[in-house]
Amino acid sequence: MIFRQVVIENFLCYHRISTFDFSSGLNIILGDNGEGKTKFIEAMDWLLNERDWDPILLASAKAISELQDGGEFKVGVQIVVEHLDETHRLSRSFVVALNSQGNVHSKELSFVGYSENIRGERSEVSGKELLEEVFPNQIRAYSLFKGETELDIFRNNDNALANLINRFSTVKHYDKYIRIGEALRTRTEANVKESTKRDSSNTARYKALETEISLLQSKKGRVEKEIDTAHQQLELLLANLEDAERYVENAQELQNINGRISTIEKDLLTTRSRLDDNFTIPLLDEFWILEGFEPVLDEYILKVENAYNLRRKIQSEFDREKGVREGQRMAHLELLNNAVPLPLTVPSKVHMEEMLQEEICKVCNREAKKGTDAYNFMYRRLQEYFKSHLPIEDDEEVAEVPFKANYIDRLFVMSSRHENDKVKLREIPEKVAARFSFNEDRRNDIARLEAALEVEKNDRDRIVGRSIGEKDLDRLLKDYNSWQTQKIDFQKTSRDLEVTLNRLNADIRTRTDEMEAIDKVSASAFLVKTRDLMRVIEKVFKETKYRMYDEFISRLEDISNEYFARMNKGFFTGNIFLQREEFNGRTSVVIELRERDEKLHRPNQSLLTSMHISILFGISQIAKGDEDESYPIIFDAPTSSFGEVKTASFLNIISESEGQIILLTKEFLGRNPDSGLSEVKPSFDDVKRSRAMWLRVKRPFDSNVLSTIATEVIEI
Amino acid sequence: MARKDDIFRNFMQHEIFQSKWDLQSHQLPKTINEGLVSEIPIISTIALIVDSLESSTPATEKLLYSQITNYLTGKI
């Protein structure tokens, strides 16, 4: 039987109709956490098993939010299965309606089946009966596995493997022989005893032996019960100890990983803070905006330089003309040897006028008659004195200035300063490149750190996924020592009880032998022979069943180990060891991982998971061989402890399986560094499969508002 | 081969037939019909039980016991 199609309608995160088409072989459904994987499993669980779940809680919140007064919508899960060349449909559904008072309620819950024969004729049948026909409950119970822990069905249920063996092997046919063998032997023993008692010669002793045996049997029964209890308690204790040891290891591992995650997160924070994508400050304050401005500046400097030179030329010409005039004036004052003249006030005005009036130069004590050079010199000097005391005619002087303001000089100063700035301008491209390169390096650092963080978080998910939670860890550790003490006590009790049991068996054997000796002389020979014959027959029946059981287990062990070795190629595995165990009439199967006949001490979760899956595949393969019919197995995240490489290898192996496998996993999904959205990794291309789908919540959505969530199914 | 023959043959593979009756595998009956005519009482008794339990109307334990004792009378 295989699932051809699953249609989910308005069920939890599946809004409106979502269709999954499946093939035989391996069907992979990818999905990140919270994108709809678990809800798919819950939809299948709801359809295949009688779940007493409140229908309203199963309806899509988004569909409910869209309901209007008097409106209604269907919620349902439908599967199309192919079984023995016929197509069947199974549909479990109900209707959600909104009444005028604004109350949402469910109605019309139904589970119907439709069978379609080879000729295409379809008929409606009971969903329950059809489901049982195409997918019997006994198999269904071992077809849906959520997470790694549920794979350990053999630990969760002592009889699980025994039940599966009974279901899939011919061993169960031998049960009735064991029952009839025991009944016939008991009857013949009773007949022999009755016959012996008819002989009065040994009656007293025979009865005494019978009473003693009865008392011993009674004691034996009690001791066996005590042994059984002690064994169960010891097993429980050993399991608890094993759990505690695994969790202790997990806790240590978790602590290490949390430490690494903390370091990576700090590094990420630092690296992100160093990433400088805001270019407003460098553009405006550090003048990056001026990159490429140098030609403009050069043109500016040239123009200012030209203007400056022109100004200097004009100014120089002006100064030269002014200098000529001044020179002419100064020429009259020229002294011998260009000596510096005395101030105009020396000699004073009064002395000069006195010397002119007396026509004598009293400075050099010589005559200075009118008309002589000496007299004229003194006269010009007095005139210059007078002239120096006249007010200066400013307007005339200003009018002679060629430039009223000194803008060009200021421009020239600015230009010179900018000339120096050219060095800075030339540094800008280098600075921009350095900043971009720095940011690129930081982005690479961030991507590397994020990848490392994802790896660590996945590892943490794996550990937490198979752990009992950090809260319970303390309690477990406290119990650990007390369990160790109890273990020693129980082992001693068991040994003591075994000794008592052996003694009781010996006592019973002695008395039984004595009784049988009496039987030989007192009872009918025919009855004794019949009894002995029936005892042998009972032994043959019982041991044949055990042999069949052991052969089945051996075959299962071989096939499981083949899967196990292939699944763990390149890794250390050890071997799966299966052994039948009989105690107090109960048959159970011991499952262990061994290396050279020694039980492996605390194998890792990945090995345990692959062991459980290998046994399941082994059973599935044997079942197919025995019944010529296989059944689908659905796994949700069965390889959480594997890691991507081992998961890929595992998937490639199970893809060769002839039976249908639907496997949901969050592996092979990564984050796009640019968009931050999840995407299918290229490594998934190397995974062999029949079909693959990707579950993703439609964007945008509000992670706090359920009514915005709708999962879409994308065929890959 | 019928299921009852398979079951019978599986019983015949028990080592006790070799160790106690010194019978080699080729000397052991392969079918119920061969078993029913065996001169070895335990073999014919097992054949009788298998034949009965695998029939469409299996005998009760009491009736089966009666059939076996009748069958064994004079043979053991």
Side-chain angles (χ1 to χ4, degrees), chain A residues 7 121 215 264 268 378 455 487 584 586 588 595 669:
Chain A
V7 180
E121 295 161 345
L215 283 170
I264 294 172
L268 257 178
M378 287 192 294
V455 169
K487 183 181 85 172
N584 274 3
R586 282 202 318 268
S588 59
E595 184 202 8
L669 289 175

Side-chain angles (χ1 to χ4, degrees), chain A residues 682-699:
Chain A
S683 56
F684 189 57
D685 292 342
D686 300 330
V687 175
K688 293 177 199 164
R689 74 263 182 175
S690 299
R691 293 189 94 114
M693 281 145 271
W694 178 20
L695 300 181
R696 200 175 60 169
V697 173
K698 286 181 189 168
R699 266 67 178 177

Side-chain angles (χ1 to χ4, degrees), chain A residues 265-323:
Chain A
E265 282 176 340
K266 274 181 198 163
D267 288 350
L268 257 178
L269 206 64
T270 311
T271 311
R272 282 192 179 122
S273 70
R274 293 176 71 196
L275 183 66
D276 193 356
D277 274 340
N278 183 354
F279 293 104
T280 311
I281 291 172
L283 271 173
L284 301 176
D285 291 0
E286 296 173 26
F287 306 112
W288 285 13
I289 201 168
L290 295 179
E291 189 194 3
F293 189 68
E294 194 174 342
V296 179
L297 182 60
D298 286 343
E299 191 182 342
Y300 163 78
I301 290 169
L302 187 66
K303 282 181 177 174
V304 169
E305 198 175 311
N306 289 339
Y308 180 70
N309 289 338
L310 184 61
R311 183 190 183 282
R312 282 178 61 199
K313 190 179 170 190
I314 293 168
Q315 183 71 46
S316 177
E317 283 171 2
F318 171 79
D319 287 348
R320 195 166 56 246
E321 282 171 17
K322 192 180 172 186

